[in-house]
Amino acid sequence: MYNVIMYLVQFGIAVASLFSDKVKKMWKGECEAVKILREKVDPDAQYIWFHAASLGEFEQGRPLMEEIRKQYPQYKILLTFYSPSGYEVRKDYKGADIICYMPVDTIGNARKFLRTVRPVMAFFIKYEFWYNFLHILRHRGVPTYSVSSIFRPDQVFFKWYGRSYGHVLKCFTRFYVQNDVSKQLLAKIGITNAEVVGDTRFDRVLQIKEAAKQLPLVEDFIKGENSSSASQEGKVETAPKVFVAGSSWPPDEDIFIKFFNEHKDWKLIIAPHVIGEDHLKQILSKLERKTVRYTQATEEAVRTAGCLIIDCFGLLSSVYNYGNVAYVGGGFGVGIHNVLEAAVWDMPVIFGTNNHKFQEAQGLKAAQGGFEIDGYEAFSRLMTRFMTDADFLRKSGKAAGDFVASMTGASQKILSDVVL
């Protein structure tokens, strides 16, 4: 049944590629994967294969790839993606020797792929459980690891009708799971080769923090129009507090923009998830304070602005460095985005209600460094407390930063256990 489904999936992707540019890129990449491998694989080299569905999983695997590259340079790294949103963004990543798509998991595709590259080891990130690829890896005796995996009772492996498919889990040499619940669930179905090491994403977010960029325009925005004269006269100016909204969607913006239209003593930085002219115009129409777009900003313009819109990619993780309170979007729709990139800077993080499947958000809430809001009234109450209670703001920020620091080290735990 599984193989029938995979052939139907392959057919569906081929048909959908006629109508969607995104699917067309994926279909073309999947069709060309083996050809790329035949052209690029060094027959004398030993390859370690990392597979990530998309960009988020890539970020979880990245600390491991980079540690292997550093500690074991004798190995080459093959990186595959399933989604265009991962491949298109990271196809030029320098930490891997070969990057391509992973073909649909049919028996024929899996055999051709693995016959061409012959990896000596494989890492599948988080939710990747491809039946045919994994069974062939096991048959060939290739050590195969599930990294930063997380399991929930509602997954198919733990249902009576999923027992047959659940055998795929026996193909893994070892599971490096995020929490005790995952380990216990696996044990209930006879999988005992699991170790709780946490999420490698915490290691990655520390790497991102260390590589943060200095952003002079953002610094000028925060200092404001009186900073130059104050510096010349030798005065000490207290910088205004800064609220950073990252990866925001319209339902998020309706909440925090309304609040900061009324509280203009705080600076507001917005980095929307979708950077398109229609969305940017929508944001601008809601704001009732002087606003400047980052790509159009001058030093003079940002000094007199109350709101700065980050209308380009690649800056958000560095922008968080300048905030006192962060809001991470997606919690009133698709699910919250990366809360760790904000929390690592020792500031409280606010997010919407769709966060319960996100382990890091649950951890932040338990540590009292993350705060869930269900609408404008809850947001207003929370922000008012941050504005009026400096000790609460400080303690919440420290709790967020301490939580991230306490959860690091998964990558080293895995590498110390894996035999290379």
Side-chain angles (χ1 to χ4, degrees):
M1 178 60 73
Y2 177 85
N3 287 314
V4 172
I5 293 172
M6 285 298 102
Y7 282 110
L8 290 173
V9 167
Q10 186 170 251
F11 177 75
I13 293 172
V15 173
S17 69
L18 301 173
F19 307 98
S20 166
D21 288 340
K22 180 177 180 180
V23 178
K24 185 177 181 179
K25 289 178 180 178
M26 182 170 72
W27 175 240
K28 182 180 178 183
E30 290 176 354
C31 291
E32 294 179 346
V34 174
K35 178 184 175 183
I36 291 171
L37 291 178
R38 286 172 177 163
E39 292 173 351
K40 295 187 176 182
V41 165
D42 179 353
D44 298 320
Q46 291 184 304
Y47 285 88
I48 295 177
W49 177 23
F50 280 83
H51 176 65
S54 191
L55 193 57
E57 290 78 14
F58 163 79
E59 291 295 332
Q60 287 175 296
R62 184 170 177 170
L64 279 172
M65 284 186 276
E66 295 183 355
E67 280 300 313
I68 288 174
R69 175 78 88 187
K70 186 190 305 179
Q71 296 182 34
Y72 307 96
Q74 67 269 32
Y75 293 100
K76 289 185 179 290
I77 291 176
L78 165 66
L79 170 64
T80 60
F81 289 97
Y82 190 77
S83 167
S85 59
Y87 175 80
E88 293 299 327
V89 175
R90 294 301 182 191
K91 60 186 177 184
D92 297 320
Y93 171 60
K94 302 303 182 185
D97 298 282
I98 303 174
I99 303 174
C100 65
Y101 281 90
M102 177 180 175
V104 175
D105 187 30
T106 65
I107 294 176
N109 285 343
R111 283 175 177 167
K112 286 188 289 185
F113 186 97
L114 293 171
R115 190 180 297 129
T116 304
V117 70
R118 298 185 182 277
V120 297
M121 187 177 294
F123 292 86
F124 284 65
I125 312 301
K126 199 171 184 180
Y127 292 131
E128 296 302 280
F129 308 107
W130 298 106
Y131 193 91
N132 290 312
F133 275 93
L134 286 166
H135 274 84
I136 294 173
L137 286 167
R138 183 187 186 190
H139 177 73
R140 294 186 175 185
V142 178
T144 304
Y145 305 97
S146 178
V147 173
S148 290
S149 43
I150 188 166
F151 294 92
R152 298 185 301 275
D154 60 352
Q155 287 174 300
V156 66
F157 313 112
F158 312 111
K159 304 293 185 180
W160 64 266
Y161 53 79
R163 288 174 185 170
S164 177
Y165 177 64
H167 290 310
V168 71
L169 299 179
K170 295 180 180 179
C171 295
F172 285 98
T173 306
R174 197 155 182 78
F175 290 86
Y176 296 103
V177 297
Q178 293 190 31
N179 56 28
D180 288 317
V181 171
S182 297
K183 184 176 181 178
Q184 292 163 8
L185 284 168
L186 289 172
K188 286 182 179 179
I189 59 172
I191 306 294
T192 57
N193 55 335
E195 182 179 353
V196 180
V197 299
D199 189 349
T200 52
R201 191 181 310 184
F202 288 89
D203 299 329
R204 174 60 187 149
V205 83
L206 278 186
Q207 289 180 337
I208 293 171
K209 180 181 179 181
E210 291 168 3
K213 305 169 186 174
Q214 187 174 358
L215 303 172
L217 277 175
V218 177
E219 293 172 2
D220 288 334
F221 166 73
I222 294 169
K223 292 174 183 175
E225 59 186 330
N226 296 322
S227 59
S228 295
S229 60
S231 176
Q232 292 171 4
E233 297 171 12
K235 297 179 181 178
V236 177
E237 286 288 326
T238 302
K241 292 290 192 293
V242 180
F243 181 89
V244 179
S247 301
S248 64
W249 294 79
D252 306 303
E253 292 146 9
D254 287 339
I255 293 172
F256 65 74
I257 288 178
K258 178 181 177 181
F259 182 86
F260 285 102
N261 277 341
E262 299 173 2
H263 298 82
K264 298 181 179 179
D265 49 331
W266 274 50
K267 296 274 188 171
L268 173 61
I269 301 177
I270 305 173
H273 183 73
V274 177
I275 299 175
E277 285 303 313
D278 289 343
H279 188 198
L280 293 172
K281 288 177 181 177
Q282 187 181 66
I283 294 172
L284 288 166
S285 70
K286 297 174 184 178
L287 287 160
E288 297 174 4
R289 55 197 304 180
K290 184 175 179 181
T291 303
V292 62
R293 290 170 53 167
Y294 186 87
T295 60
Q296 300 172 1
T298 63
E299 181 179 336
E300 182 179 356
V302 295
R303 286 188 185 278
T304 58
C307 177
L308 177 64
I309 297 177
I310 308 298
D311 57 346
C312 55
F313 293 107
L315 297 183
L316 178 57
S317 58
S318 297
V319 168
Y320 280 131
N321 179 30
Y322 298 97
N324 299 100
V325 176
Y327 181 102
V328 175
F332 294 101
V334 296
I336 57 169
H337 297 288
N338 192 340
V339 296
L340 299 180
E341 286 188 354
V344 74
W345 292 105
D346 297 331
M347 64 177 164
V349 185
I350 305 171
F351 38 79
T353 53
N354 189 0
N355 65 73
H356 299 286
K357 290 185 178 181
F358 297 83
Q359 180 81 8
E360 61 275 20
Q362 300 307 301
L364 268 178
K365 286 198 295 183
Q368 300 183 336
F371 299 85
E372 176 186 318
I373 53 105
D374 59 7
Y376 178 78
E377 294 302 323
F379 178 82
S380 179
R381 287 194 299 271
L382 179 59
M383 277 306 306
T384 299
R385 186 174 179 189
F386 282 138
M387 289 177 165
T388 57
D389 188 340
D391 191 52
F392 176 63
L393 175 59
R394 181 187 60 79
K395 287 181 178 178
S396 299
K398 185 176 186 301
D402 288 349
F403 168 71
V404 175
S406 71
M407 299 297 287
T408 59
S411 300
Q412 287 299 332
K413 290 176 185 177
I414 293 168
L415 287 181
S416 65
D417 191 58
V418 168
V419 178
L420 284 163

